[in-house]
Structures are given as C-alpha cells and as structure tokens.
C-alpha cells in the first residue's frame, strides 16, 4: 500500500474521530495562543490531520490522492524505495508544520483564533509533483491547464486572498506549503530546475 493511501486513511479517521469528540478537536487544533502560553508545539502537526467539514476533507484528500502517488513514484525511483518513502513522508509532514508558522506568528496573542487542515502538506506535495511534471494537465473545475500555469494562478490567488482576508481559509498556509514543497524538492534534486524550465520552453498548446 502506498504511503499516500496511509496518509489519507489516517487523516479521514482522525478527522471523523475529532468531529465526534470536541475535547480532542480542541486539543489538536492549531491554537497559536496555546502554543505560546503552554508550549503545545504538537499542534503544528496534529492540526494537519483535522478538517472543518466533509468538503474541506474531501478536496484536500482528493488533491493528495492525485498528486501524492506522482511524488512517491519519483522519489522512490530517484532515491530507492525506502529512502523515497521516508523523504516523501518528510515532505508532507514538514509541509504541514511549516505552513502553520505564519498562523502562529500572526495570531500567537489571539485567544480566539484556530486553524486546521492538511492544506500545507497537500500544497507541498502538489508543487513538488509539478516540478516533476510541469506540463501535465490539471483539471480545475473541469477546465484543463498545464501544471505550471496552475501553479502561477494558485500562487497569485492565494497571495491575493491572504492580503484581503475575506474568508476563514488559511491562504498563507497554502503559499508556505507550496513554497516549502518547491524548495525541499529542489534541494533533494537541483537538476529538476533545469528540467522544469526545459519542459515549459518545449511546451505547446
């Protein structure tokens, strides 16, 4: 069984469990004030396995399903099966943790701010996959586009919405997760940058 399916299974199970146990939800959710006051640093990770509702859970896990196997395949092919799986797990888990940093910094004095979701880890995986397959078709609301164009639009939208602060979605987490995914993957295999550029230059409609 792929690690992607294991992550999806764990996330679904823990999200469902937390929905039926408010104490667990409150204990695991990202609450920057509690992290600062009570040193509950585990929240940087546990919040990534919780979701607000079925829609939030579905779209994050669907994205992980489509892109996770791509990254897992390439990592295992480049670094070997065991090391590839370890690096893929590191990408996903650190993506969740890193993406929670801006929420912590912005809201560590706010008693009432909470955040949850795997968006940081999922974004890290999605952008890692795009480095490997920048011209592969991605369907956004049934509209096809190559991965690198999706990456540009996704980043621009997330940046814009993070500045506007019009909803309760952690758009900055998406950006930090995506950025981490790119940096982590390029550090592992720097030659991917030239591959990425060449694929784009040779792309045609």
């Amino acid at each position: 069984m792929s690690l992607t399916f294991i992550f999806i299974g764990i996330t679904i199970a823990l999200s469902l469990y937390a929905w039926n146990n408010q104490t667990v939800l409150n204990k695991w959710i990202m609450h920057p004030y509690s992290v600062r006051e009570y040193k509950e640093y585990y929240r940087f990770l546990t919040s990534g396995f919780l979701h607000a509702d079925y829609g939030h859970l579905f779209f994050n896990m669907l994205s992980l399903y489509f892109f996770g196997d791509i990254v897992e395949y390439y990592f295992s092919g480049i670094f070997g099966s065991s090391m590839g799986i370890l690096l893929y797990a590191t990408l996903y888990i650190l993506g969740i943790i890193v993406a929670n940093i801006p929420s912590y910094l912005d809201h560590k004095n706010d008693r009432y701010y909470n955040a949850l979701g795997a968006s940081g880890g999922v974004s890290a995986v999605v952008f890692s996959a795009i480095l490997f397959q920048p011209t592969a078709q991605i369907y956004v609301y049934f509209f096809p586009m190559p991965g690198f164009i999706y990456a540009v639009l996704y980043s621009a939208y997330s940046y814009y919405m993070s500045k506007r602060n019009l909803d309760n979605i952690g758009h900055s987490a998406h950006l930090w997760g995506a950025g981490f995914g790119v940096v982590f993957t390029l550090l592992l295999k720097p030659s991917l940058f030239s591959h990425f550029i060449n694929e784009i230059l040779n792309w045609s409609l």
Side-chain angles (χ1 to χ4, degrees), residues 55-85:
H56 188 206
L57 176 64
F58 175 77
F59 283 108
N60 266 344
M61 294 303 97
L62 184 66
S63 297
L64 184 59
Y65 170 76
F66 282 125
F67 293 95
D69 277 348
I70 296 173
V71 178
E72 195 169 349
Y73 170 79
Y74 280 105
F75 276 16
S76 294
I78 295 169
F79 303 104
S81 180
S82 298
M83 181 57 70
I85 290 174

Short mmCIF file of all heavy atoms in Angstrom, two decimals, residues 55-85:
data_model
loop_
_atom_site.label_atom_id
_atom_site.label_comp_id
_atom_site.label_asym_id
_atom_site.label_seq_id
_atom_site.Cartn_x
_atom_site.Cartn_y
_atom_site.Cartn_z
N GLY A 55 -16.50 18.73 3.02
CA GLY A 55 -15.98 19.36 1.81
C GLY A 55 -14.49 19.66 1.92
O GLY A 55 -13.71 19.39 0.99
N HIS A 56 -14.11 20.22 3.05
CA HIS A 56 -12.70 20.54 3.33
C HIS A 56 -11.85 19.27 3.27
O HIS A 56 -10.79 19.23 2.63
CB HIS A 56 -12.62 21.20 4.71
CG HIS A 56 -11.28 21.74 5.07
ND1 HIS A 56 -10.86 21.89 6.38
CD2 HIS A 56 -10.25 22.18 4.31
CE1 HIS A 56 -9.65 22.39 6.39
NE2 HIS A 56 -9.25 22.58 5.15
N LEU A 57 -12.33 18.23 3.92
CA LEU A 57 -11.62 16.95 3.95
C LEU A 57 -11.55 16.33 2.56
O LEU A 57 -10.47 15.86 2.12
CB LEU A 57 -12.33 15.99 4.91
CG LEU A 57 -11.79 14.57 5.01
CD1 LEU A 57 -10.37 14.56 5.56
CD2 LEU A 57 -12.71 13.72 5.90
N PHE A 58 -12.65 16.34 1.83
CA PHE A 58 -12.70 15.71 0.51
C PHE A 58 -11.73 16.34 -0.47
O PHE A 58 -10.96 15.63 -1.14
CB PHE A 58 -14.13 15.79 -0.04
CG PHE A 58 -14.26 15.28 -1.45
CD1 PHE A 58 -14.27 13.91 -1.71
CD2 PHE A 58 -14.36 16.17 -2.51
CE1 PHE A 58 -14.38 13.45 -3.01
CE2 PHE A 58 -14.47 15.71 -3.82
CZ PHE A 58 -14.48 14.34 -4.07
N PHE A 59 -11.73 17.65 -0.57
CA PHE A 59 -10.89 18.31 -1.57
C PHE A 59 -9.40 18.20 -1.23
O PHE A 59 -8.57 18.04 -2.13
CB PHE A 59 -11.31 19.77 -1.75
CG PHE A 59 -12.56 19.93 -2.57
CD1 PHE A 59 -13.75 20.31 -1.98
CD2 PHE A 59 -12.54 19.66 -3.93
CE1 PHE A 59 -14.90 20.43 -2.74
CE2 PHE A 59 -13.69 19.79 -4.70
CZ PHE A 59 -14.88 20.17 -4.09
N ASN A 60 -9.06 18.25 0.04
CA ASN A 60 -7.65 18.07 0.41
C ASN A 60 -7.18 16.65 0.11
O ASN A 60 -6.10 16.44 -0.44
CB ASN A 60 -7.43 18.39 1.89
CG ASN A 60 -6.98 19.82 2.13
OD1 ASN A 60 -6.55 20.51 1.21
ND2 ASN A 60 -7.08 20.27 3.36
N MET A 61 -7.99 15.67 0.47
CA MET A 61 -7.60 14.28 0.25
C MET A 61 -7.65 13.90 -1.23
O MET A 61 -6.84 13.08 -1.69
CB MET A 61 -8.48 13.34 1.08
CG MET A 61 -8.30 13.49 2.59
SD MET A 61 -6.57 13.23 3.15
CE MET A 61 -5.96 14.93 3.27
N LEU A 62 -8.55 14.50 -1.98
CA LEU A 62 -8.59 14.25 -3.43
C LEU A 62 -7.32 14.77 -4.09
O LEU A 62 -6.73 14.10 -4.94
CB LEU A 62 -9.82 14.93 -4.05
CG LEU A 62 -10.06 14.67 -5.54
CD1 LEU A 62 -10.38 13.19 -5.77
CD2 LEU A 62 -11.20 15.55 -6.06
N SER A 63 -6.88 15.95 -3.68
CA SER A 63 -5.65 16.52 -4.22
C SER A 63 -4.45 15.66 -3.84
O SER A 63 -3.56 15.41 -4.67
CB SER A 63 -5.44 17.95 -3.70
OG SER A 63 -6.48 18.79 -4.14
N LEU A 64 -4.42 15.20 -2.59
CA LEU A 64 -3.33 14.34 -2.16
C LEU A 64 -3.33 13.02 -2.93
O LEU A 64 -2.27 12.50 -3.31
CB LEU A 64 -3.44 14.06 -0.65
CG LEU A 64 -2.31 13.25 -0.02
CD1 LEU A 64 -0.96 13.94 -0.21
CD2 LEU A 64 -2.58 13.03 1.47
N TYR A 65 -4.51 12.50 -3.21
CA TYR A 65 -4.64 11.25 -3.97
C TYR A 65 -4.05 11.40 -5.37
O TYR A 65 -3.30 10.54 -5.85
CB TYR A 65 -6.11 10.85 -4.05
CG TYR A 65 -6.39 9.72 -5.01
CD1 TYR A 65 -6.07 8.40 -4.69
CD2 TYR A 65 -6.97 9.98 -6.25
CE1 TYR A 65 -6.33 7.37 -5.57
CE2 TYR A 65 -7.23 8.95 -7.14
CZ TYR A 65 -6.90 7.64 -6.80
OH TYR A 65 -7.15 6.63 -7.69
N PHE A 66 -4.37 12.49 -6.06
CA PHE A 66 -3.92 12.68 -7.43
C PHE A 66 -2.42 12.97 -7.53
O PHE A 66 -1.75 12.50 -8.45
CB PHE A 66 -4.70 13.82 -8.10
CG PHE A 66 -6.08 13.42 -8.55
CD1 PHE A 66 -7.20 14.13 -8.12
CD2 PHE A 66 -6.27 12.32 -9.37
CE1 PHE A 66 -8.47 13.75 -8.53
CE2 PHE A 66 -7.54 11.94 -9.79
CZ PHE A 66 -8.65 12.66 -9.36
N PHE A 67 -1.90 13.74 -6.60
CA PHE A 67 -0.51 14.18 -6.71
C PHE A 67 0.46 13.39 -5.85
O PHE A 67 1.66 13.35 -6.14
CB PHE A 67 -0.41 15.67 -6.37
CG PHE A 67 -1.10 16.56 -7.36
CD1 PHE A 67 -2.40 16.99 -7.14
CD2 PHE A 67 -0.45 16.95 -8.51
CE1 PHE A 67 -3.05 17.80 -8.07
CE2 PHE A 67 -1.09 17.77 -9.44
CZ PHE A 67 -2.39 18.19 -9.21
N GLY A 68 -0.03 12.78 -4.78
CA GLY A 68 0.85 12.07 -3.87
C GLY A 68 1.57 10.90 -4.54
O GLY A 68 2.78 10.71 -4.34
N ASP A 69 0.84 10.13 -5.32
CA ASP A 69 1.47 8.98 -5.98
C ASP A 69 2.55 9.40 -6.96
O ASP A 69 3.52 8.67 -7.17
CB ASP A 69 0.40 8.14 -6.69
CG ASP A 69 -0.30 7.17 -5.75
OD1 ASP A 69 0.18 7.01 -4.61
OD2 ASP A 69 -1.33 6.60 -6.14
N ILE A 70 2.38 10.57 -7.58
CA ILE A 70 3.40 11.07 -8.51
C ILE A 70 4.71 11.32 -7.77
O ILE A 70 5.78 10.86 -8.19
CB ILE A 70 2.92 12.36 -9.19
CG1 ILE A 70 1.69 12.09 -10.06
CG2 ILE A 70 4.05 12.99 -10.02
CD1 ILE A 70 1.06 13.34 -10.65
N VAL A 71 4.62 12.03 -6.66
CA VAL A 71 5.82 12.35 -5.88
C VAL A 71 6.44 11.09 -5.30
O VAL A 71 7.66 10.89 -5.33
CB VAL A 71 5.50 13.36 -4.76
CG1 VAL A 71 6.73 13.65 -3.92
CG2 VAL A 71 4.95 14.66 -5.37
N GLU A 72 5.59 10.23 -4.77
CA GLU A 72 6.07 8.97 -4.19
C GLU A 72 6.80 8.14 -5.25
O GLU A 72 7.85 7.54 -4.98
CB GLU A 72 4.90 8.19 -3.61
CG GLU A 72 5.30 7.07 -2.68
CD GLU A 72 4.11 6.49 -1.92
OE1 GLU A 72 3.02 7.09 -1.94
OE2 GLU A 72 4.30 5.43 -1.29
N TYR A 73 6.26 8.11 -6.46
CA TYR A 73 6.87 7.35 -7.56
C TYR A 73 8.24 7.90 -7.92
O TYR A 73 9.23 7.15 -8.03
CB TYR A 73 5.95 7.40 -8.78
CG TYR A 73 6.57 6.87 -10.05
CD1 TYR A 73 6.65 5.50 -10.29
CD2 TYR A 73 7.08 7.75 -11.01
CE1 TYR A 73 7.23 5.01 -11.45
CE2 TYR A 73 7.66 7.27 -12.17
CZ TYR A 73 7.73 5.90 -12.39
OH TYR A 73 8.31 5.43 -13.54
N TYR A 74 8.34 9.23 -8.08
CA TYR A 74 9.61 9.83 -8.47
C TYR A 74 10.65 9.75 -7.34
O TYR A 74 11.82 9.45 -7.59
CB TYR A 74 9.41 11.29 -8.91
CG TYR A 74 8.91 11.42 -10.32
CD1 TYR A 74 7.59 11.75 -10.59
CD2 TYR A 74 9.77 11.21 -11.40
CE1 TYR A 74 7.13 11.86 -11.89
CE2 TYR A 74 9.31 11.32 -12.70
CZ TYR A 74 7.99 11.65 -12.94
OH TYR A 74 7.54 11.76 -14.23
N PHE A 75 10.24 10.02 -6.12
CA PHE A 75 11.18 9.93 -5.00
C PHE A 75 11.73 8.53 -4.86
O PHE A 75 12.94 8.34 -4.64
CB PHE A 75 10.49 10.36 -3.71
CG PHE A 75 10.46 11.84 -3.46
CD1 PHE A 75 10.72 12.73 -4.48
CD2 PHE A 75 10.18 12.34 -2.21
CE1 PHE A 75 10.69 14.11 -4.28
CE2 PHE A 75 10.15 13.72 -1.97
CZ PHE A 75 10.41 14.60 -3.01
N SER A 76 10.86 7.52 -4.98
CA SER A 76 11.31 6.14 -4.86
C SER A 76 12.22 5.75 -6.02
O SER A 76 13.19 5.00 -5.84
CB SER A 76 10.10 5.19 -4.80
OG SER A 76 9.35 5.41 -3.62
N GLY A 77 11.93 6.28 -7.21
CA GLY A 77 12.75 5.98 -8.37
C GLY A 77 14.13 6.60 -8.28
O GLY A 77 15.12 6.01 -8.72
N ILE A 78 14.21 7.79 -7.70
CA ILE A 78 15.48 8.51 -7.61
C ILE A 78 16.32 8.04 -6.42
O ILE A 78 17.53 7.83 -6.54
CB ILE A 78 15.22 10.03 -7.50
CG1 ILE A 78 14.57 10.55 -8.79
CG2 ILE A 78 16.53 10.79 -7.23
CD1 ILE A 78 14.03 11.96 -8.67
N PHE A 79 15.67 7.88 -5.27
CA PHE A 79 16.40 7.62 -4.03
C PHE A 79 16.27 6.18 -3.51
O PHE A 79 16.83 5.86 -2.47
CB PHE A 79 15.94 8.59 -2.94
CG PHE A 79 16.08 10.03 -3.33
CD1 PHE A 79 14.98 10.79 -3.69
CD2 PHE A 79 17.33 10.63 -3.35
CE1 PHE A 79 15.11 12.13 -4.06
CE2 PHE A 79 17.48 11.97 -3.71
CZ PHE A 79 16.36 12.71 -4.07
N GLY A 80 15.53 5.34 -4.22
CA GLY A 80 15.28 4.00 -3.74
C GLY A 80 13.99 3.94 -2.95
O GLY A 80 13.52 4.97 -2.42
N SER A 81 13.41 2.78 -2.85
CA SER A 81 12.08 2.63 -2.25
C SER A 81 12.01 3.15 -0.81
O SER A 81 11.18 4.00 -0.49
CB SER A 81 11.66 1.17 -2.30
OG SER A 81 10.38 1.01 -1.72
N SER A 82 12.88 2.65 0.05
CA SER A 82 12.82 3.03 1.47
C SER A 82 13.12 4.50 1.69
O SER A 82 12.37 5.20 2.40
CB SER A 82 13.79 2.16 2.29
OG SER A 82 13.45 0.81 2.21
N MET A 83 14.20 5.00 1.09
CA MET A 83 14.56 6.40 1.26
C MET A 83 13.52 7.30 0.60
O MET A 83 13.20 8.38 1.11
CB MET A 83 15.95 6.66 0.68
CG MET A 83 16.43 8.11 0.84
SD MET A 83 16.46 8.67 2.56
CE MET A 83 17.82 7.68 3.19
N GLY A 84 13.00 6.87 -0.54
CA GLY A 84 11.99 7.67 -1.23
C GLY A 84 10.74 7.85 -0.39
O GLY A 84 10.18 8.95 -0.31
N ILE A 85 10.30 6.78 0.26
CA ILE A 85 9.13 6.86 1.12
C ILE A 85 9.40 7.76 2.32
O ILE A 85 8.55 8.57 2.72
CB ILE A 85 8.71 5.44 1.58
CG1 ILE A 85 8.14 4.66 0.40
CG2 ILE A 85 7.70 5.52 2.72
CD1 ILE A 85 7.84 3.21 0.71
#
